Amino acid sequence: MKELICICCPNGCHLKIDTENGYTVTGNKCDKGAEYGKNELLHPVRVVTSTVKTDSAFFPRLPVKTDRAIDKAKMFEVMALLENVTAKVPVSCGDVLLAGILGNDANVIACRDLTE
């Protein structure tokens, strides 16, 4: 039996996942919690948030994130890729800075506008 705290909503349900009986989840107040608990043990994923360098004289870093969750095991590979990225101004929120990272359909996008 594994225990997790659900992060899908503000409830923070205390989940119990029975790994010996088909990853049955209890303690969840909604369906999202059941899905989260099972996925967290079988195939954990995360959205990566970070910053990249810019060529702006006023804002040396730009906040970025992946536009979808990626395998948790690949987070450090994504962070290594971001070390070599320099965003060229102007940048708009949502602009794709790196497309199809690590051979999947996740992109790294800008999280703010940067005009100078």
Side-chain angles (χ1 to χ4, degrees):
M1 185 77 69
K2 294 281 188 174
E3 295 185 20
L4 298 172
I5 296 176
C6 183
I7 60 171
C8 291
C9 73
N11 285 330
C13 297
H14 291 258
L15 306 176
K16 292 186 179 185
I17 302 98
D18 188 349
T19 57
E20 295 178 6
N21 290 313
Y23 291 88
T24 306
V25 178
T26 57
N28 55 302
K29 295 180 183 174
C30 68
D31 292 337
K32 288 181 182 180
E35 182 180 347
Y36 169 78
K38 186 174 181 179
N39 287 341
E40 186 63 15
L41 295 183
L42 294 175
H43 181 54
V45 294
R46 298 289 186 274
V47 171
V48 176
T49 60
S50 187
T51 62
V52 296
K53 294 176 275 191
T54 74
D55 64 355
S56 168
F58 301 106
F59 299 98
R61 306 293 294 182
L62 174 72
V64 297
K65 70 174 191 163
T66 55
D67 62 355
R68 63 194 51 151
I70 63 163
D71 290 336
K72 185 178 176 182
K74 294 188 177 194
M75 288 177 58
F76 289 109
E77 291 177 62
V78 172
M79 295 301 290
L81 288 173
L82 296 178
E83 288 179 14
N84 301 315
V85 173
T86 300
K88 310 280 187 218
V89 293
V91 177
S92 296
C93 186
D95 282 357
V96 176
L97 302 177
L98 285 176
I101 56 172
L102 303 177
N104 66 35
D105 54 355
N107 303 307
V108 175
I109 61 170
C111 292
R112 70 166 286 175
D113 295 335
L114 192 58
T115 58
E116 44 181 289

